[in-house]
Amino acid sequence: LRAAHASALRHGDQAAASRLLVATLPYAQLHMRTEHGSWCAATVAHDPEQVTPELLGWAAWWAMIGGDHERAIEWTSTGIARAGADDIPLAVCHGIAAFSWWSRGRRAEASQHAEVLERMADRLDPWYAYHAYRSLFSFADRDRFEAIAERIAAIVTGIGAPSLLASARFYQGSAKMSGGADAMSAAALHREGVELARGSGTTLAE
């Protein structure tokens, strides 16, 4: 993959580089293969005007994870402007923008992105819906935690990947734990999540 990505950039094939990165993002993200983030950044730098809005969003995700919220906001803003009416890049960019603004202490800006994301979440394909609801969980009022966590669980149960089921157990357990409502159930869900994460090598969920 490293060689294929480097070759695509060397030959000026921005589209091929972007397709490779979008296709490998789920695995790289769940297993925290951070080199993928450097590939995304290199692709953006190679020809910024030709980068797809979805790839700008995922490059922003890696920037956000690395603490570069300013760059994440810049890339998601550009992605949103380029996406038009395409739900997938809009969902990716709005979700990541919400996290980045929140991390900078700008709740109002974060909420604006979260509101847009919520309006489109149910019409997304499962992988993108999973990401959307993860973002929405973070910005929800406490009385909505369990409903959103169960929505995440339903989405990933349909996908069937243990790595995503591990993530769902985190949100379900966190919802149960909120306000000390059901600590025993929370512990059981988190234990199951840890086992699923370790069994699938999912660093992010563990």
Side-chain angles (χ1 to χ4, degrees), residues 68-171:
D68 191 347
H69 300 294
E70 184 174 345
R71 178 167 291 182
I73 289 166
E74 175 191 346
W75 284 346
T76 53
S77 296
T78 303
I80 290 165
R82 288 184 188 174
D86 190 340
D87 279 349
I88 287 177
L90 284 173
V92 172
C93 290
H94 279 296
I96 295 158
F99 272 117
S100 296
W101 280 116
W102 183 273
S103 298
R104 295 188 65 184
R106 304 280 290 274
R107 181 175 182 137
E109 288 87 345
S111 295
Q112 290 173 4
H113 289 285
E115 288 167 7
V116 174
L117 185 63
E118 185 157 19
R119 290 197 293 269
M120 66 175 67
D122 282 330
R123 61 178 186 255
L124 297 170
D125 290 343
W127 165 251
Y128 297 97
Y130 158 74
H131 264 281
Y133 278 103
R134 286 176 64 206
S135 297
L136 293 171
F137 183 93
S138 301
F139 301 105
D141 293 331
R142 184 176 296 175
D143 61 1
R144 297 186 63 211
F145 281 172
E146 285 207 49
I148 294 176
E150 291 308 313
R151 183 71 183 111
I152 293 170
I155 291 166
V156 302
T157 298
I159 296 172
S163 54
L164 296 182
L165 291 168
S167 175
R169 299 299 178 264
F170 165 76
Y171 291 101

Side-chain angles (χ1 to χ4, degrees), residues 30 162-174 185-206:
L30 291 166
S163 54
L164 296 182
L165 291 168
S167 175
R169 299 299 178 264
F170 165 76
Y171 291 101
Q172 290 174 294
S174 298
S185 294
L189 286 161
H190 284 157
R191 278 197 298 270
E192 182 185 354
V194 168
E195 290 171 4
L196 286 164
R198 289 179 176 171
S200 57
T202 313
T203 307
L204 182 62
E206 184 178 355

